[in-house]
Amino acid sequence: MNGGRSVPAAVLRAVHEALRFDRSRVSARAGLVAAIPVAGMLALGTAIGQPVAAVTLAAGAMLGGVAWRAAGPDYPPAGTMAAALLGLGTATVAGSATGRYPWLHLTLLIVLCLGAGLLVSIGRRGGVPGTQSIIAYVVFGRFPQPLGQALTLAGLVVGGGLVQAAFSTLVGLPPAWRLQRQAVADAYRRLAALAGGPQVSSVPAAGALDEAESKLTAPTLLGDPALMTLSSLVEEGRRIRLELIALRTPAGSTAQSGTVTPTGPAASVLSAVAAAVEDPRRGAQGAVEAAARALDRDWPADGNRH
């Protein structure tokens, strides 16, 4: 009986989640960035008198944009977009080349659906390329072509997708860098609040560090030293959070009895780090150095320092 009542409840929760609209995910700028390559491909193909090529290029750019914006992050996910383009090209060739053989076409469609379903298990980075591949297979399978022409068709689709990926990465990454710095800065402000307030919960700091880490998972074309530095700050922030928690425990308080507690000066250092991360100017870096010197002065490095 209990199991029977739990099924409708689970269904209602699933429907509620499906109908929920997260307004925070709406970004007019990101939508415009994703739409410009689509319009550009249409305009280019039309200008050279190739309307079919124009539509095909635009379709590739559109599907590449969907790989980014469909419930995706604020920044272009280069890895997901690259995997989607690979799936688009392969599925376009397979769908167009087998479209004239219904039995083979349907057999490959079953295999593709099975593979796409399995990819969902690894999250969005697997689900998006799988879904895009099925779309390309079904759509371009409606236009059977010999293998050579199917390869040409796939080249146009992938070409439009590459334009989308390149444009969105070049234009969309600068705001992403700012968002990443802001996320790390917010995490350090939470750590500063944790250090400065004995009654402040450590949960917000943990959540802010997780949020910063999620924003730093965007792959870069080359190893970006700034991104690596921010990642190191997040890892260091996790260690600082644990140390602050330890200092607030009875054992930590006993160990610090008779000495100047480091949490107050540490809060100033953490706040200065947050300001420097968000606005990395020389003045902000000087504030970090000044706060660190004050910490060394107020909490001398003797036997009581951990």
Side-chain angles (χ1 to χ4, degrees), residues 34 36-42 44-45 52-65 81-82 84-90 92-93 136 140 150-168:
I36 287 175
V38 179
M41 293 298 95
L42 278 173
L44 176 63
V52 175
V55 172
T56 307
L57 286 167
M62 180 194 68
L63 292 172
M81 295 180 75
L85 290 178
L86 179 62
L88 284 174
T90 304
T92 299
V93 173
F140 294 107
L151 289 170
T152 301
L153 184 66
L156 291 173
V157 173
V158 173
L162 286 174
V163 171
Q164 173 69 262
F167 182 82
S168 60

Side-chain angles (χ1 to χ4, degrees), residues 184 188 216 225-238:
V184 176
Y188 270 77
L216 293 173
L227 190 63
M228 295 172 63
T229 300
L230 292 177
S231 298
S232 299
L233 283 172
V234 171
E235 293 302 318
E236 186 67 15
R238 295 190 188 280

Side-chain angles (χ1 to χ4, degrees), residues 74-266:
D74 298 323
Y75 47 82
T80 302
M81 295 180 75
L85 290 178
L86 179 62
L88 284 174
T90 304
T92 299
V93 173
S96 183
T98 62
R100 66 183 64 199
Y101 308 109
W103 63 270
L104 179 59
H105 188 73
L106 291 176
T107 300
L108 287 179
L109 179 59
I110 293 172
V111 174
L112 182 60
C113 289
L114 177 61
L118 293 174
L119 286 175
V120 174
S121 63
I122 64 175
R124 186 180 183 277
R125 60 182 178 179
V128 168
T131 302
Q132 300 292 76
S133 299
I134 293 175
I135 293 173
Y137 187 88
V138 172
V139 170
F140 294 107
R142 301 290 296 173
F143 305 97
Q145 300 286 346
L147 180 58
Q149 295 182 12
L151 289 170
T152 301
L153 184 66
L156 291 173
V157 173
V158 173
L162 286 174
V163 171
Q164 173 69 262
F167 182 82
S168 60
T169 298
L170 292 175
V171 178
L173 276 183
W177 292 332
R178 288 195 292 270
L179 289 173
Q180 290 164 348
R181 289 198 299 269
Q182 289 171 2
V184 176
D186 181 65
Y188 270 77
R189 289 193 185 94
R190 299 283 188 178
L191 289 172
L194 178 62
Q199 304 302 321
V200 176
S201 171
S202 65
V203 174
L209 288 167
D210 289 340
E211 179 68 17
E213 184 179 35
S214 69
K215 281 184 165 50
L216 293 173
T217 55
T220 54
L221 297 179
L222 297 174
D224 185 1
L227 190 63
M228 295 172 63
T229 300
L230 292 177
S231 298
S232 299
L233 283 172
V234 171
E235 293 302 318
E236 186 67 15
R238 295 190 188 280
R239 185 185 65 80
I240 292 172
R241 172 178 169 271
L242 293 177
E243 291 186 351
L244 291 173
I245 293 174
L247 289 172
R248 295 165 62 174
T249 61
S253 300
T254 302
Q256 290 296 326
S257 60
T259 66
V260 178
T261 176
T263 53

